[in-house]
């Protein structure tokens, strides 16, 4: 399932010259349903759309509030062309869910949105008709969303956390026993090993130390001692 989410100041849908739906401040969602989509993908996309932070908070901080946080409106439009595959320059839509199935699926999507949010704030167009969609994009801000492929492992959004800077990284590794604390310990251990390696390299670059030079230098013979020892040995061997 694919969606294009646009932050808008207003949006409306016209069919046959008649306006059938309109919203003020909020988001406009163009939704493309694929052949493989199931209830799992539907719920994933509903959760993402309603929790997408594209609005400012009360202090003016950007990317802080979702449409639910601000109690703004949502306009949904079924858009099978998002499942387009180009064959040369010609669009092909064989990946899109057939109309008979897609209409029921799309209605379930709307129902889930209304169930999760406020029904009166969810508006839509008219499925399967030729529509004129008027969007006044605010920003402009346009976000593309895509549900994970069926069967792919997905992380719980509640376990996603900001570790460094403002970038969000999945912390699904925690469920595998690999915690942030473990990661920090690994980094410290790696730093220690790197420092040890650097000290070894510096030692090799300086060459052997003075003490090692002294140990390796040839010793001068003490002739008197040597001759005395030889004399003792020779005297013992003579009768």
């Amino acid at each position: 399932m694919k969606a294009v989410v646009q932050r808008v100041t207003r949006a409306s849908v016209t069919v046959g010259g008649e306006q059938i739906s309109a919203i003020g401040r909020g988001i406009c969602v163009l939704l493309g349903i694929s052949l493989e989509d199931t209830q799992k993908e539907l719920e994933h996309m509903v959760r993402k759309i309603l929790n997408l932070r594209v609005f400012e908070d009360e202090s003016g901080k950007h990317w802080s509030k979702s449409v639910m946080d601000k109690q703004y409106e949502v306009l949904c439009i079924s858009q099978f062309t998002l499942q387009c595959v180009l064959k040369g320059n010609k669009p092909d839509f064989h990946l899109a869910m057939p109309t008979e199935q897609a209409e029921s699926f799309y209605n379930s999507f709307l129902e889930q949105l209304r169930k999760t949010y406020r029904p009166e704030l969810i508006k839509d167009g008219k499925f399967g008709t030729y529509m004129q969609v008027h969007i006044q994009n605010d920003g402009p801000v346009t976000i593309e969303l895509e549900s994970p492929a069926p069967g792919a492992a997905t992380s719980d959004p509640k376990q996603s956390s900001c570790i460094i800077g403002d970038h969000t990284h999945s912390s699904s590794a925690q469920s595998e026993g690999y915690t942030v604390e473990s990661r920090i310990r690994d980094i410290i251990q790696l730093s220690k090993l790197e420092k040890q390696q650097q000290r070894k390299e510096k030692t090799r670059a300086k060459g052997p130390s003075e003490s090692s030079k002294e140990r390796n230098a040839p010793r001068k013979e003490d002739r008197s001692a040597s001759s005395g020892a030889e004399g003792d040995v020779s005297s013992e061997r003579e009768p």
Side-chain angles (χ1 to χ4, degrees):
M1 187 179 295
K2 296 181 180 179
V4 173
V5 180
Q6 299 184 65
R7 188 178 71 186
V8 300
T9 52
R10 65 170 63 94
S12 62
V13 181
T14 300
V15 176
E18 179 186 356
Q19 181 175 293
I20 64 169
S21 189
I23 65 169
R25 192 88 190 272
I27 57 175
C28 180
V29 180
L30 307 178
L31 187 75
I33 305 167
S34 81
L35 276 169
E36 299 181 337
D37 286 331
T38 65
Q39 183 68 21
K40 181 179 178 181
E41 284 73 49
L42 184 154
E43 292 175 357
H44 172 88
M45 192 61 75
V46 167
R47 184 171 64 249
K48 280 292 185 182
I49 289 170
L50 293 179
N51 288 283
L52 188 63
R53 296 186 297 177
V54 293
F55 298 100
E56 301 176 350
D57 64 11
E58 292 72 19
S59 63
K61 183 180 179 182
H62 296 287
W63 320 114
S64 299
K65 297 295 184 179
S66 68
V67 70
M68 286 201 301
D69 294 329
K70 303 293 286 187
Q71 294 293 291
Y72 289 156
E73 295 177 288
V74 179
L75 175 61
C76 290
I77 308 293
S78 177
Q79 179 98 76
F80 74 92
T81 57
L82 287 176
Q83 295 294 340
C84 165
V85 176
L86 289 179
K87 290 186 175 180
N89 293 321
K90 182 180 179 181
D92 180 273
F93 307 107
H94 71 276
L95 294 180
M97 185 177 287
T99 304
E100 300 76 18
Q101 300 170 251
E103 184 171 10
S104 175
F105 194 93
Y106 178 68
N107 288 333
S108 296
F109 173 80
L110 292 174
E111 183 180 346
Q112 186 69 26
L113 275 176
R114 293 180 175 122
K115 180 180 177 181
T116 307
Y117 190 24
R118 293 172 53 187
E120 69 275 14
L121 296 181
I122 304 297
K123 308 292 178 63
D124 70 314
K126 190 173 182 180
F127 186 91
T129 62
Y130 192 89
M131 296 176 279
Q132 298 290 327
V133 182
H134 305 272
I135 301 171
Q136 187 167 311
N137 197 317
D138 181 27
V141 172
T142 302
I143 307 293
E144 295 180 352
L145 299 176
E146 185 170 359
S147 62
T154 58
S155 60
D156 186 342
K158 293 181 180 178
Q159 292 185 355
S160 297
S161 60
C162 182
I163 297 175
I164 300 174
D166 292 329
H167 297 283
T168 301
H169 302 273
S170 172
S171 61
S172 58
Q174 292 182 3
S175 62
E176 301 171 2
Y178 191 72
T179 62
V180 175
E181 290 78 6
S182 300
R183 176 62 177 159
I184 292 172
R185 285 197 298 270
D186 288 349
I187 292 172
I188 293 173
Q189 182 65 24
L190 181 60
S191 178
K192 287 181 180 179
L193 292 174
E194 288 177 348
K195 288 180 180 179
Q196 290 175 2
Q197 185 64 26
Q198 289 173 0
R199 285 198 293 269
K200 288 180 181 180
E201 291 176 356
K202 287 181 180 178
T203 301
R204 293 194 194 101
K206 288 181 179 179
S209 62
E210 293 298 327
S211 58
S212 63
K213 288 180 180 178
E214 291 176 0
R215 287 196 300 270
N216 296 331
R219 296 181 179 178
K220 295 180 180 179
E221 291 185 358
D222 187 341
R223 294 192 176 183
S224 58
S226 177
S227 60
E230 289 174 358
D232 294 338
V233 173
S234 61
S235 62
E236 289 177 1
R237 289 183 180 178
E238 290 177 358

mmCIF file of all heavy atoms in Angstrom, residues 67-109:
data_model
loop_
_atom_site.group_PDB
_atom_site.id
_atom_site.type_symbol
_atom_site.label_atom_id
_atom_site.label_comp_id
_atom_site.label_asym_id
_atom_site.label_seq_id
_atom_site.Cartn_x
_atom_site.Cartn_y
_atom_site.Cartn_z
ATOM 1 N N VAL A 67 -1.859 15.135 12.869
ATOM 2 C CA VAL A 67 -3.196 15.649 12.588
ATOM 3 C C VAL A 67 -4.133 15.372 13.766
ATOM 4 O O VAL A 67 -5.025 16.176 14.077
ATOM 5 C CB VAL A 67 -3.734 15.041 11.260
ATOM 6 C CG1 VAL A 67 -4.044 13.561 11.414
ATOM 7 C CG2 VAL A 67 -4.952 15.800 10.759
ATOM 8 N N MET A 68 -3.932 14.254 14.463
ATOM 9 C CA MET A 68 -4.751 13.950 15.639
ATOM 10 C C MET A 68 -4.424 14.891 16.791
ATOM 11 O O MET A 68 -5.325 15.320 17.527
ATOM 12 C CB MET A 68 -4.551 12.494 16.070
ATOM 13 C CG MET A 68 -5.220 11.488 15.167
ATOM 14 S SD MET A 68 -5.506 9.878 15.972
ATOM 15 C CE MET A 68 -3.851 9.407 16.431
ATOM 16 N N ASP A 69 -3.132 15.204 16.963
ATOM 17 C CA ASP A 69 -2.734 16.133 18.024
ATOM 18 C C ASP A 69 -3.405 17.488 17.849
ATOM 19 O O ASP A 69 -3.847 18.111 18.807
ATOM 20 C CB ASP A 69 -1.214 16.320 18.041
ATOM 21 C CG ASP A 69 -0.463 15.055 18.426
ATOM 22 O OD1 ASP A 69 -1.012 14.255 19.202
ATOM 23 O OD2 ASP A 69 0.668 14.872 17.945
ATOM 24 N N LYS A 70 -3.485 17.932 16.594
ATOM 25 C CA LYS A 70 -4.032 19.261 16.295
ATOM 26 C C LYS A 70 -5.548 19.246 16.072
ATOM 27 O O LYS A 70 -6.162 20.298 15.947
ATOM 28 C CB LYS A 70 -3.346 19.837 15.051
ATOM 29 C CG LYS A 70 -1.828 19.934 15.162
ATOM 30 C CD LYS A 70 -1.370 20.936 16.197
ATOM 31 C CE LYS A 70 -1.548 22.339 15.734
ATOM 32 N NZ LYS A 70 -0.965 23.338 16.666
ATOM 33 N N GLN A 71 -6.118 18.032 16.011
ATOM 34 C CA GLN A 71 -7.559 17.892 15.754
ATOM 35 C C GLN A 71 -7.949 18.547 14.429
ATOM 36 O O GLN A 71 -8.991 19.210 14.301
ATOM 37 C CB GLN A 71 -8.375 18.486 16.913
ATOM 38 C CG GLN A 71 -8.218 17.731 18.224
ATOM 39 C CD GLN A 71 -8.814 16.326 18.174
ATOM 40 O OE1 GLN A 71 -10.020 16.165 18.107
ATOM 41 N NE2 GLN A 71 -7.949 15.310 18.200
ATOM 42 N N TYR A 72 -7.099 18.323 13.406
ATOM 43 C CA TYR A 72 -7.370 18.818 12.063
ATOM 44 C C TYR A 72 -8.114 17.759 11.250
ATOM 45 O O TYR A 72 -8.293 16.621 11.690
ATOM 46 C CB TYR A 72 -6.066 19.191 11.353
ATOM 47 C CG TYR A 72 -5.389 20.432 11.879
ATOM 48 C CD1 TYR A 72 -4.011 20.619 11.715
ATOM 49 C CD2 TYR A 72 -6.097 21.439 12.533
ATOM 50 C CE1 TYR A 72 -3.378 21.761 12.180
ATOM 51 C CE2 TYR A 72 -5.475 22.581 13.002
ATOM 52 C CZ TYR A 72 -4.107 22.744 12.821
ATOM 53 O OH TYR A 72 -3.478 23.873 13.287
ATOM 54 N N GLU A 73 -8.497 18.132 10.016
ATOM 55 C CA GLU A 73 -9.275 17.245 9.157
ATOM 56 C C GLU A 73 -8.395 16.411 8.228
ATOM 57 O O GLU A 73 -7.227 16.738 7.977
ATOM 58 C CB GLU A 73 -10.259 18.075 8.327
ATOM 59 C CG GLU A 73 -11.328 18.770 9.151
ATOM 60 C CD GLU A 73 -12.226 19.638 8.295
ATOM 61 O OE1 GLU A 73 -11.772 20.696 7.828
ATOM 62 O OE2 GLU A 73 -13.393 19.245 8.096
ATOM 63 N N VAL A 74 -8.976 15.332 7.721
ATOM 64 C CA VAL A 74 -8.293 14.428 6.786
ATOM 65 C C VAL A 74 -9.193 14.212 5.575
ATOM 66 O O VAL A 74 -10.367 13.847 5.718
ATOM 67 C CB VAL A 74 -7.985 13.065 7.439
ATOM 68 C CG1 VAL A 74 -7.290 12.140 6.438
ATOM 69 C CG2 VAL A 74 -7.144 13.236 8.698
ATOM 70 N N LEU A 75 -8.634 14.432 4.388
ATOM 71 C CA LEU A 75 -9.354 14.139 3.143
ATOM 72 C C LEU A 75 -8.636 12.993 2.436
ATOM 73 O O LEU A 75 -7.461 13.099 2.102
ATOM 74 C CB LEU A 75 -9.384 15.370 2.229
ATOM 75 C CG LEU A 75 -10.002 15.158 0.835
ATOM 76 C CD1 LEU A 75 -11.467 14.736 0.942
ATOM 77 C CD2 LEU A 75 -9.864 16.424 -0.022
ATOM 78 N N CYS A 76 -9.348 11.889 2.202
ATOM 79 C CA CYS A 76 -8.771 10.708 1.553
ATOM 80 C C CYS A 76 -9.305 10.563 0.129
ATOM 81 O O CYS A 76 -10.511 10.714 -0.107
ATOM 82 C CB CYS A 76 -9.106 9.443 2.333
ATOM 83 S SG CYS A 76 -8.264 9.330 3.915
ATOM 84 N N ILE A 77 -8.390 10.239 -0.786
ATOM 85 C CA ILE A 77 -8.753 10.025 -2.182
ATOM 86 C C ILE A 77 -8.139 8.706 -2.643
ATOM 87 O O ILE A 77 -6.930 8.493 -2.512
ATOM 88 C CB ILE A 77 -8.213 11.157 -3.093
ATOM 89 C CG1 ILE A 77 -8.626 12.533 -2.555
ATOM 90 C CG2 ILE A 77 -8.658 10.940 -4.532
ATOM 91 C CD1 ILE A 77 -10.084 12.815 -2.600
ATOM 92 N N SER A 78 -8.970 7.808 -3.179
ATOM 93 C CA SER A 78 -8.450 6.564 -3.736
ATOM 94 C C SER A 78 -7.675 6.883 -5.015
ATOM 95 O O SER A 78 -8.183 7.570 -5.909
ATOM 96 C CB SER A 78 -9.603 5.607 -4.064
ATOM 97 O OG SER A 78 -9.108 4.445 -4.672
ATOM 98 N N GLN A 79 -6.425 6.369 -5.105
ATOM 99 C CA GLN A 79 -5.516 6.748 -6.197
ATOM 100 C C GLN A 79 -4.759 5.511 -6.694
ATOM 101 O O GLN A 79 -3.613 5.272 -6.321
ATOM 102 C CB GLN A 79 -4.530 7.809 -5.689
ATOM 103 C CG GLN A 79 -3.511 8.265 -6.711
ATOM 104 C CD GLN A 79 -3.917 9.548 -7.375
ATOM 105 O OE1 GLN A 79 -3.816 10.606 -6.794
ATOM 106 N NE2 GLN A 79 -4.357 9.452 -8.614
ATOM 107 N N PHE A 80 -5.416 4.703 -7.523
ATOM 108 C CA PHE A 80 -4.785 3.462 -7.973
ATOM 109 C C PHE A 80 -3.533 3.712 -8.803
ATOM 110 O O PHE A 80 -2.659 2.839 -8.931
ATOM 111 C CB PHE A 80 -5.791 2.613 -8.773
ATOM 112 C CG PHE A 80 -6.080 3.128 -10.160
ATOM 113 C CD1 PHE A 80 -5.340 2.679 -11.248
ATOM 114 C CD2 PHE A 80 -7.097 4.042 -10.382
ATOM 115 C CE1 PHE A 80 -5.602 3.152 -12.528
ATOM 116 C CE2 PHE A 80 -7.370 4.516 -11.647
ATOM 117 C CZ PHE A 80 -6.618 4.071 -12.733
ATOM 118 N N THR A 81 -3.395 4.904 -9.372
ATOM 119 C CA THR A 81 -2.234 5.199 -10.217
ATOM 120 C C THR A 81 -0.920 5.227 -9.425
ATOM 121 O O THR A 81 0.155 5.204 -10.025
ATOM 122 C CB THR A 81 -2.408 6.544 -10.954
ATOM 123 O OG1 THR A 81 -2.613 7.587 -9.996
ATOM 124 C CG2 THR A 81 -3.599 6.495 -11.907
ATOM 125 N N LEU A 82 -0.992 5.249 -8.086
ATOM 126 C CA LEU A 82 0.233 5.177 -7.284
ATOM 127 C C LEU A 82 0.895 3.811 -7.417
ATOM 128 O O LEU A 82 2.080 3.650 -7.111
ATOM 129 C CB LEU A 82 -0.074 5.454 -5.808
ATOM 130 C CG LEU A 82 -0.392 6.898 -5.442
ATOM 131 C CD1 LEU A 82 -0.774 7.000 -3.971
ATOM 132 C CD2 LEU A 82 0.809 7.792 -5.729
ATOM 133 N N GLN A 83 0.143 2.802 -7.885
ATOM 134 C CA GLN A 83 0.696 1.468 -8.084
ATOM 135 C C GLN A 83 1.198 1.277 -9.523
ATOM 136 O O GLN A 83 1.363 0.167 -9.997
ATOM 137 C CB GLN A 83 -0.371 0.408 -7.770
ATOM 138 C CG GLN A 83 -0.819 0.385 -6.316
ATOM 139 C CD GLN A 83 0.285 -0.050 -5.367
ATOM 140 O OE1 GLN A 83 1.255 -0.681 -5.776
ATOM 141 N NE2 GLN A 83 0.144 0.288 -4.093
ATOM 142 N N CYS A 84 1.505 2.377 -10.164
ATOM 143 C CA CYS A 84 1.960 2.362 -11.556
ATOM 144 C C CYS A 84 3.345 1.727 -11.712
ATOM 145 O O CYS A 84 4.244 1.936 -10.897
ATOM 146 C CB CYS A 84 1.972 3.798 -12.083
ATOM 147 S SG CYS A 84 2.897 4.020 -13.601
ATOM 148 N N VAL A 85 3.497 0.948 -12.776
ATOM 149 C CA VAL A 85 4.803 0.450 -13.223
ATOM 150 C C VAL A 85 4.948 0.872 -14.684
ATOM 151 O O VAL A 85 4.061 0.597 -15.504
ATOM 152 C CB VAL A 85 4.898 -1.085 -13.117
ATOM 153 C CG1 VAL A 85 6.224 -1.569 -13.687
ATOM 154 C CG2 VAL A 85 4.750 -1.528 -11.676
ATOM 155 N N LEU A 86 6.053 1.549 -14.999
ATOM 156 C CA LEU A 86 6.231 2.033 -16.365
ATOM 157 C C LEU A 86 6.762 0.925 -17.277
ATOM 158 O O LEU A 86 7.700 0.207 -16.924
ATOM 159 C CB LEU A 86 7.189 3.219 -16.392
ATOM 160 C CG LEU A 86 6.670 4.539 -15.814
ATOM 161 C CD1 LEU A 86 7.760 5.599 -15.887
ATOM 162 C CD2 LEU A 86 5.429 5.007 -16.569
ATOM 163 N N LYS A 87 6.163 0.805 -18.443
ATOM 164 C CA LYS A 87 6.669 -0.046 -19.509
ATOM 165 C C LYS A 87 7.093 0.887 -20.633
ATOM 166 O O LYS A 87 6.281 1.294 -21.465
ATOM 167 C CB LYS A 87 5.588 -1.020 -19.982
ATOM 168 C CG LYS A 87 5.251 -2.093 -18.960
ATOM 169 C CD LYS A 87 4.292 -3.122 -19.524
ATOM 170 C CE LYS A 87 4.061 -4.253 -18.540
ATOM 171 N NZ LYS A 87 3.130 -5.284 -19.068
ATOM 172 N N GLY A 88 8.355 1.241 -20.590
ATOM 173 C CA GLY A 88 8.831 2.306 -21.458
ATOM 174 C C GLY A 88 8.304 3.621 -20.908
ATOM 175 O O GLY A 88 8.618 4.009 -19.796
ATOM 176 N N ASN A 89 7.448 4.272 -21.657
ATOM 177 C CA ASN A 89 6.811 5.508 -21.195
ATOM 178 C C ASN A 89 5.328 5.328 -20.885
ATOM 179 O O ASN A 89 4.651 6.290 -20.521
ATOM 180 C CB ASN A 89 6.978 6.616 -22.249
ATOM 181 C CG ASN A 89 8.423 7.040 -22.400
ATOM 182 O OD1 ASN A 89 9.147 7.133 -21.418
ATOM 183 N ND2 ASN A 89 8.843 7.286 -23.636
ATOM 184 N N LYS A 90 4.851 4.091 -21.002
ATOM 185 C CA LYS A 90 3.431 3.828 -20.792
ATOM 186 C C LYS A 90 3.190 3.286 -19.387
ATOM 187 O O LYS A 90 3.790 2.291 -18.983
ATOM 188 C CB LYS A 90 2.911 2.833 -21.822
ATOM 189 C CG LYS A 90 1.416 2.560 -21.687
ATOM 190 C CD LYS A 90 0.952 1.561 -22.735
ATOM 191 C CE LYS A 90 -0.546 1.272 -22.571
ATOM 192 N NZ LYS A 90 -1.024 0.285 -23.570
ATOM 193 N N PRO A 91 2.293 3.917 -18.619
ATOM 194 C CA PRO A 91 1.968 3.416 -17.276
ATOM 195 C C PRO A 91 1.226 2.084 -17.347
ATOM 196 O O PRO A 91 0.352 1.887 -18.203
ATOM 197 C CB PRO A 91 1.070 4.510 -16.687
ATOM 198 C CG PRO A 91 1.299 5.708 -17.536
ATOM 199 C CD PRO A 91 1.600 5.188 -18.903
ATOM 200 N N ASP A 92 1.584 1.176 -16.465
ATOM 201 C CA ASP A 92 0.907 -0.114 -16.359
ATOM 202 C C ASP A 92 0.447 -0.278 -14.912
ATOM 203 O O ASP A 92 1.196 -0.004 -13.980
ATOM 204 C CB ASP A 92 1.867 -1.237 -16.736
ATOM 205 C CG ASP A 92 1.209 -2.602 -16.646
ATOM 206 O OD1 ASP A 92 1.215 -3.207 -15.542
ATOM 207 O OD2 ASP A 92 0.690 -3.076 -17.665
ATOM 208 N N PHE A 93 -0.793 -0.736 -14.713
ATOM 209 C CA PHE A 93 -1.375 -0.771 -13.373
ATOM 210 C C PHE A 93 -1.744 -2.181 -12.922
ATOM 211 O O PHE A 93 -2.646 -2.364 -12.103
ATOM 212 C CB PHE A 93 -2.620 0.134 -13.330
ATOM 213 C CG PHE A 93 -2.369 1.538 -13.810
ATOM 214 C CD1 PHE A 93 -2.851 1.969 -15.037
ATOM 215 C CD2 PHE A 93 -1.631 2.409 -13.032
ATOM 216 C CE1 PHE A 93 -2.611 3.267 -15.470
ATOM 217 C CE2 PHE A 93 -1.393 3.711 -13.456
ATOM 218 C CZ PHE A 93 -1.876 4.139 -14.685
ATOM 219 N N HIS A 94 -1.010 -3.196 -13.403
ATOM 220 C CA HIS A 94 -1.366 -4.573 -13.069
ATOM 221 C C HIS A 94 -1.113 -4.901 -11.597
ATOM 222 O O HIS A 94 -1.634 -5.881 -11.083
ATOM 223 C CB HIS A 94 -0.602 -5.560 -13.966
ATOM 224 C CG HIS A 94 0.861 -5.657 -13.655
ATOM 225 N ND1 HIS A 94 1.794 -4.775 -14.168
ATOM 226 C CD2 HIS A 94 1.552 -6.534 -12.872
ATOM 227 C CE1 HIS A 94 2.988 -5.108 -13.739
ATOM 228 N NE2 HIS A 94 2.880 -6.160 -12.937
ATOM 229 N N LEU A 95 -0.324 -4.070 -10.893
ATOM 230 C CA LEU A 95 -0.057 -4.301 -9.467
ATOM 231 C C LEU A 95 -1.168 -3.748 -8.570
ATOM 232 O O LEU A 95 -1.218 -4.054 -7.375
ATOM 233 C CB LEU A 95 1.278 -3.667 -9.060
ATOM 234 C CG LEU A 95 2.546 -4.272 -9.685
ATOM 235 C CD1 LEU A 95 3.779 -3.533 -9.193
ATOM 236 C CD2 LEU A 95 2.655 -5.759 -9.365
ATOM 237 N N ALA A 96 -2.041 -2.916 -9.143
ATOM 238 C CA ALA A 96 -3.135 -2.341 -8.354
ATOM 239 C C ALA A 96 -4.223 -3.378 -8.111
ATOM 240 O O ALA A 96 -4.489 -4.239 -8.953
ATOM 241 C CB ALA A 96 -3.717 -1.127 -9.071
ATOM 242 N N MET A 97 -4.857 -3.299 -6.971
ATOM 243 C CA MET A 97 -5.957 -4.223 -6.652
ATOM 244 C C MET A 97 -7.129 -3.950 -7.599
ATOM 245 O O MET A 97 -7.484 -2.786 -7.830
ATOM 246 C CB MET A 97 -6.385 -4.023 -5.191
ATOM 247 C CG MET A 97 -7.432 -5.008 -4.709
ATOM 248 S SD MET A 97 -7.830 -4.791 -2.939
ATOM 249 C CE MET A 97 -6.361 -5.446 -2.163
ATOM 250 N N PRO A 98 -7.744 -4.992 -8.148
ATOM 251 C CA PRO A 98 -8.902 -4.815 -9.054
ATOM 252 C C PRO A 98 -10.018 -4.027 -8.382
ATOM 253 O O PRO A 98 -10.206 -4.084 -7.165
ATOM 254 C CB PRO A 98 -9.337 -6.253 -9.357
ATOM 255 C CG PRO A 98 -8.110 -7.079 -9.150
ATOM 256 C CD PRO A 98 -7.364 -6.413 -8.025
ATOM 257 N N THR A 99 -10.769 -3.327 -9.191
ATOM 258 C CA THR A 99 -11.804 -2.418 -8.701
ATOM 259 C C THR A 99 -12.778 -3.075 -7.729
ATOM 260 O O THR A 99 -13.106 -2.501 -6.675
ATOM 261 C CB THR A 99 -12.593 -1.828 -9.890
ATOM 262 O OG1 THR A 99 -11.682 -1.188 -10.774
ATOM 263 C CG2 THR A 99 -13.619 -0.811 -9.408
ATOM 264 N N GLU A 100 -13.248 -4.293 -8.047
ATOM 265 C CA GLU A 100 -14.251 -4.955 -7.208
ATOM 266 C C GLU A 100 -13.737 -5.152 -5.777
ATOM 267 O O GLU A 100 -14.464 -4.912 -4.806
ATOM 268 C CB GLU A 100 -14.649 -6.296 -7.819
ATOM 269 C CG GLU A 100 -15.252 -6.232 -9.212
ATOM 270 C CD GLU A 100 -14.204 -5.986 -10.296
ATOM 271 O OE1 GLU A 100 -13.000 -6.197 -10.029
ATOM 272 O OE2 GLU A 100 -14.602 -5.558 -11.401
ATOM 273 N N GLN A 101 -12.482 -5.609 -5.663
ATOM 274 C CA GLN A 101 -11.891 -5.822 -4.345
ATOM 275 C C GLN A 101 -11.463 -4.511 -3.703
ATOM 276 O O GLN A 101 -11.605 -4.312 -2.499
ATOM 277 C CB GLN A 101 -10.668 -6.742 -4.455
ATOM 278 C CG GLN A 101 -10.952 -8.118 -5.013
ATOM 279 C CD GLN A 101 -9.657 -8.845 -5.313
ATOM 280 O OE1 GLN A 101 -9.286 -9.048 -6.470
ATOM 281 N NE2 GLN A 101 -8.966 -9.242 -4.276
ATOM 282 N N ALA A 102 -10.921 -3.620 -4.521
ATOM 283 C CA ALA A 102 -10.348 -2.379 -4.002
ATOM 284 C C ALA A 102 -11.393 -1.495 -3.333
ATOM 285 O O ALA A 102 -11.112 -0.844 -2.320
ATOM 286 C CB ALA A 102 -9.660 -1.615 -5.128
ATOM 287 N N GLU A 103 -12.613 -1.449 -3.872
ATOM 288 C CA GLU A 103 -13.637 -0.589 -3.284
ATOM 289 C C GLU A 103 -13.965 -1.028 -1.857
ATOM 290 O O GLU A 103 -14.065 -0.198 -0.942
ATOM 291 C CB GLU A 103 -14.905 -0.594 -4.140
ATOM 292 C CG GLU A 103 -15.964 0.363 -3.617
ATOM 293 C CD GLU A 103 -17.125 0.531 -4.568
ATOM 294 O OE1 GLU A 103 -17.216 -0.235 -5.555
ATOM 295 O OE2 GLU A 103 -17.962 1.442 -4.326
ATOM 296 N N SER A 104 -14.109 -2.326 -1.662
ATOM 297 C CA SER A 104 -14.395 -2.848 -0.328
ATOM 298 C C SER A 104 -13.220 -2.595 0.623
ATOM 299 O O SER A 104 -13.413 -2.210 1.781
ATOM 300 C CB SER A 104 -14.688 -4.350 -0.415
ATOM 301 O OG SER A 104 -14.845 -4.900 0.881
ATOM 302 N N PHE A 105 -12.029 -2.791 0.100
ATOM 303 C CA PHE A 105 -10.824 -2.585 0.907
ATOM 304 C C PHE A 105 -10.693 -1.109 1.298
ATOM 305 O O PHE A 105 -10.363 -0.774 2.444
ATOM 306 C CB PHE A 105 -9.597 -3.040 0.125
ATOM 307 C CG PHE A 105 -8.357 -3.199 0.951
ATOM 308 C CD1 PHE A 105 -8.016 -4.422 1.506
ATOM 309 C CD2 PHE A 105 -7.526 -2.113 1.180
ATOM 310 C CE1 PHE A 105 -6.867 -4.570 2.271
ATOM 311 C CE2 PHE A 105 -6.370 -2.246 1.935
ATOM 312 C CZ PHE A 105 -6.036 -3.478 2.485
ATOM 313 N N TYR A 106 -10.938 -0.218 0.351
ATOM 314 C CA TYR A 106 -10.846 1.220 0.603
ATOM 315 C C TYR A 106 -11.877 1.666 1.639
ATOM 316 O O TYR A 106 -11.586 2.476 2.527
ATOM 317 C CB TYR A 106 -11.044 1.988 -0.700
ATOM 318 C CG TYR A 106 -11.013 3.491 -0.549
ATOM 319 C CD1 TYR A 106 -9.837 4.148 -0.201
ATOM 320 C CD2 TYR A 106 -12.163 4.250 -0.735
ATOM 321 C CE1 TYR A 106 -9.799 5.521 -0.059
ATOM 322 C CE2 TYR A 106 -12.144 5.623 -0.598
ATOM 323 C CZ TYR A 106 -10.954 6.260 -0.251
ATOM 324 O OH TYR A 106 -10.927 7.628 -0.094
ATOM 325 N N ASN A 107 -13.072 1.124 1.565
ATOM 326 C CA ASN A 107 -14.102 1.455 2.552
ATOM 327 C C ASN A 107 -13.694 0.977 3.952
ATOM 328 O O ASN A 107 -13.984 1.640 4.951
ATOM 329 C CB ASN A 107 -15.443 0.844 2.156
ATOM 330 C CG ASN A 107 -16.073 1.548 0.958
ATOM 331 O OD1 ASN A 107 -15.808 2.728 0.732
ATOM 332 N ND2 ASN A 107 -16.874 0.823 0.190
ATOM 333 N N SER A 108 -13.025 -0.170 4.013
ATOM 334 C CA SER A 108 -12.517 -0.670 5.297
ATOM 335 C C SER A 108 -11.436 0.260 5.845
ATOM 336 O O SER A 108 -11.353 0.486 7.051
ATOM 337 C CB SER A 108 -11.949 -2.082 5.125
ATOM 338 O OG SER A 108 -12.957 -2.989 4.754
ATOM 339 N N PHE A 109 -10.637 0.805 4.920
ATOM 340 C CA PHE A 109 -9.602 1.760 5.311
ATOM 341 C C PHE A 109 -10.225 3.016 5.932
ATOM 342 O O PHE A 109 -9.790 3.484 6.990
ATOM 343 C CB PHE A 109 -8.763 2.125 4.079
ATOM 344 C CG PHE A 109 -7.763 3.215 4.305
ATOM 345 C CD1 PHE A 109 -6.540 2.953 4.909
ATOM 346 C CD2 PHE A 109 -8.044 4.518 3.913
ATOM 347 C CE1 PHE A 109 -5.611 3.964 5.113
ATOM 348 C CE2 PHE A 109 -7.126 5.535 4.107
ATOM 349 C CZ PHE A 109 -5.909 5.256 4.710
#
